[in-house]
Amino acid sequence: SQQGEEDPQALSIQEGENATMNCSYKTSINNLQWYRQNSGRGLVHLILIRSNEREKHSGRLRVTLDTSKKSSSLLITASRAADTASYFCATDAGANNLFFGTGTRLTVIP
Amino acid sequence: SQTIHQWPATLVQPVGSPLSLECTVEGTSNPNLYWYRQAAGRGLQLLFYSVGIGQISSEVPQNLSASRPQDRQFILSSKKLLLSDSGFYLCAWDTGTASYEQYFGPGTRLTVT
């Protein structure tokens, strides 16, 4: 299966700290995306990184991609209580669909 | 701007009853459309996707079916629900271009009793 695996499954931090989540996948990809899901809601796209990119920033988000290790990380800096959500990576290998990981549940304690 | 609608938001159905969930997209044409299921605390499982009217691809064998009667309408159905059909159903779309960024609806929480 191409499905990504996020690590850790759950993460609890204090507000203001940085949160790092990791994603590993199994096959070659065209791009990797990160999504956020608030409890009981749909997913929201955060950032996309292409296979020829190594790092990308968007606001307080920093994503890295290591295609040799088939892994990616999502860093959220200066976390806020509103960042509490589940975060999913999704890989695209050129087919018509994305393969989603199992998610990291982030809790930011005020 | 584009929007995606799903209804109903929640649904409680007895085993053996039929199911119809609807998803519509506004503000775009010829989208790719997707149905996912998410079990509690788990990732997303792709059920169906469609690249055009009447074109449905199924990812996993199951008790469900999908139809796309109009360009921006995607329907998930079942003739007889099973307990294992309970879950959170999400509809999504993308433009079908190389970016593959998907836009999700608010989801339907289905409980089969």
Side-chain angles (χ1 to χ4, degrees), chain B residues 5 8 14 17 22 24 27 29 50 54 74 81-82 90-91 101-102 112:
Chain B
H5 304 279
S17 64
E22 189 163 344
T24 59
S29 298
S50 172
F74 206 21
L81 283 169
L82 306 172
L90 289 158
C91 181
E101 173 183 336
Q102 293 189 3
V112 182

Side-chain angles (χ1 to χ4, degrees), chain A residues 13-81:
Chain A
I13 60 174
Q14 295 290 330
E15 197 166 32
E17 294 180 339
N18 295 342
T20 300
M21 290 159 270
N22 304 293
C23 168
S24 59
Y25 56 93
K26 296 181 180 178
T27 64
S28 297
I29 60 171
N30 292 334
N31 65 64
L32 184 144
Q33 304 178 36
W34 285 91
Y35 288 79
R36 165 196 169 120
Q37 183 182 34
N38 284 30
S39 181
R41 306 294 295 275
L43 278 71
V44 175
H45 180 267
L46 294 176
I47 195 167
L48 179 151
I49 187 166
R50 301 191 186 282
S51 60
N52 60 353
E53 298 176 311
R54 292 295 169 261
E55 187 171 312
K56 200 163 184 179
H57 298 255
S58 177
R60 293 184 295 113
L61 305 180
R62 173 180 170 243
V63 170
T64 62
L65 179 64
D66 187 334
T67 53
S68 66
K69 295 182 179 178
K70 292 186 170 58
S71 67
S72 173
S73 67
L74 171 67
L75 168 68
I76 303 175
T77 60
S79 64
R80 305 167 183 168

Side-chain angles (χ1 to χ4, degrees), chain B residues 3-101:
Chain B
T3 55
I4 178 169
H5 304 279
Q6 271 187 257
W7 65 91
T10 60
L11 191 60
V12 180
Q13 293 282 96
V15 169
S17 64
L19 172 74
S20 180
L21 302 181
E22 189 163 344
C23 170
T24 59
V25 180
E26 297 177 358
T28 188
S29 298
N30 304 314
N32 291 336
L33 295 170
Y34 304 85
W35 277 112
Y36 292 91
R37 178 168 57 202
Q38 185 178 31
R42 303 292 298 277
L44 275 70
Q45 178 188 34
L46 179 65
L47 301 176
F48 301 95
Y49 71 91
S50 172
V51 299
I53 295 175
Q55 301 179 62
I56 308 294
S57 296
S58 174
E59 287 299 298
V60 293
Q62 57 210 318
N63 185 41
L64 302 168
S65 62
S67 62
R68 185 171 178 173
Q70 300 181 46
D71 181 45
R72 290 169 288 179
Q73 183 185 29
F74 206 21
I75 298 172
L76 184 69
S77 304
S78 174
K79 292 181 180 179
K80 289 186 177 181
L81 283 169
L82 306 172
L83 285 174
S84 57
D85 291 325
S86 292
F88 191 50
Y89 289 82
L90 289 158
C91 181
W93 70 274
D94 67 36
T95 60
T97 61
S99 69
Y100 293 114
E101 173 183 336

Side-chain angles (χ1 to χ4, degrees), chain B residues 99-112:
Chain B
S99 69
Y100 293 114
E101 173 183 336
Q102 293 189 3
Y103 303 90
F104 284 80
T108 294
R109 174 78 57 193
L110 172 65
T111 303
V112 182

